[in-house]
Amino acid sequence: MYILGVHLGHHSSAALSKDGVVIGAVEEERFTRRKDQSGYPKESIAYVLSRGGISPEAVDAVAVPGMRLGADMPYQVVRRYFGYSDHGLAFRAKATAAASLNSGWLRRSLYPMAATRDFISAELGRRGFHRARVEFHDHHESHAASAFYSSPFAEALVLTQDGKGDNCSGSVFVGSGNILKAIARQPQTDSVGQIYHEVTRFLGFMPNRHEGKIMGMAAFGNPATFIDAFRGLVARTHPVIERSHVLDDANWRKGMTFRDRVRVLSNHPDNLDFEIRARKLQAWLETNTGNGERADVAAAVQQAVEDWMVELCRWHVGSLHGSAARNICLAGGLFANVKVNQRLRESVPGVRNIYIQPAMGDSGLSLGAAQLCWHRSEPEAVRNFLEHVFLGPDYSDRETAAVLEQWKERVVWERHENAEELIGQLLHEGNIVGRFNGPLEWGPRALGNRSILVRPTDRRINAEVNRRLRRTEFMPFAPSVLDYRAGDYFMGYRDDHIAADFMTVTYNVRPEKMHEIEAVVHVDNTARPQVVREKTNPSYHRILRAYERCSGIGCVVNTSFNVHEEPIVNSPEDALRTLEQGAVDVLAIGNYFVRMRGRKDGADCQNLGMR
């Protein structure tokens, strides 16, 4: 049975499974080169079908996350996602009237839920999926499914947290065998994700994209300055988070243009309070933190969110008293926050292990919806642990050679059969190496197949890499570490800590090792490792072993292969363009080693004869 998962919202994506086994999964941004791409994931669908060797007619079911898509996005936007170029004048006139007249009926007319589902089903049929049944699945249940069904745990407590989706901002499930049982559902107006989102905006960053920068900045601040104010935003933490009434008197209209007011007041009635609360948070932040240091604001919201999540998890672990609570599965954009994940692993009594769905944000919804569809169709089917996430496009040597020929006026290259050994030597010499090899990773983390690699021995290299990639200087770099060396560097690490395989949790670095790998140690003495296993990525494992033989060190710096504000590279052309922009000294693409003609920057590459 072939099931295609299709996510249409921001971070749009597609995932294909056959009889419950994931064949391919990829985000649309990797093809379009537009960060956080929204809409119908045309290229992603084409790719996963080609990877499965099937046509649209062979798909048995299409699973779409979102039971209330028509309420969460205007009908006109959904039509635009499928390529219809409505002029929009009538829509804008109706939206303005709905806002000006405070008309719930007019607001609802902009978001026809049944018509939206019918339209999506019809459009999928027109695109070749006429044999497939189309199913719509709840947003947060899809998040929960993506975490539990991908995990290695037979039983687990499953938590989801994000901004909002399907009138919800978080949920609690218990997973056992193939069954997900809902325990609690958190209304969207109690969203913790919204708080973090609006702090991101308030501090001058882009919400839904730069929340990781707030987490990185937090380590430089003092949470005590504003922690009491942030704690006042939440009234209770169980059985779900409940926001307080502290925002009730905030003036959400202050400083807003007429157009901004229309954008808020023309929302579907069910979402109106959520949007107004977002504006109230901005007013509250200005009043309560406006004169403070940005790092102190970041530190306070980070501390508050960690505490809320620990209290929520502790209550549910304590109330269940069963074996399920020993393991925790997490999904939703909030759990991209690796410091929160560390606190949940370390600070909740009774928790043995955690698993974070590697594509924890909304891109992972396509996978979760497909998994829900499968396990509801086949309730007795065996679950399939998602052992690795190398589920995207791959390129043959022939394809790579053809692209290099097209670039021959700009680049020089050599082919080396023992590529991994040479990369290890180049890293030891101090080169910045772009590694492109095998299938693209699924999710936001580069895990060795589309990575920029650097030796970890000198913190000063961070400034140089950040300069080249045009990234923020306070963002920490992450290490990739050999599986048999991880315990040497990271306190509390165990070999069954599967979350560390996907770079989704931080650890405290052992004090005696900080000088050895200082380039990957953040200011708070933590690091976000990727544990590399030979069975899941043998080529990358060989690179780390080669570097270890040269240096005695079992890890390297691994940062995503892209310049700032671009998606991770997908194709050889993407990698060559990034090389051309000066991001790396050498591009190691498969067995090919590539440099720009005449470029003198970077290290000497003593082992390469490309001059």
Side-chain angles (χ1 to χ4, degrees), residues 153 155-159 309-330 335 340-356 492 494 496-499 505 507:
F153 307 141
E155 296 180 297
L157 178 69
V158 187
L159 304 178
M309 289 301 106
V310 166
E311 290 165 14
L312 172 69
C313 189
R314 181 184 290 131
W315 190 87
H316 282 284
V317 168
S319 67
L320 289 170
H321 299 296
S323 59
R326 296 173 188 168
N327 300 310
I328 307 295
C329 293
L330 307 169
F335 296 118
V340 167
N341 301 340
Q342 180 182 5
R343 284 285 309 280
L344 292 178
R345 191 193 75 243
E346 294 179 348
S347 301
V348 180
V351 171
R352 173 176 171 79
N353 207 347
I354 66 171
Y355 174 84
I356 302 95
R494 296 197 315 263
D496 66 343
H497 282 183
I498 188 65
V505 65
Y507 290 81

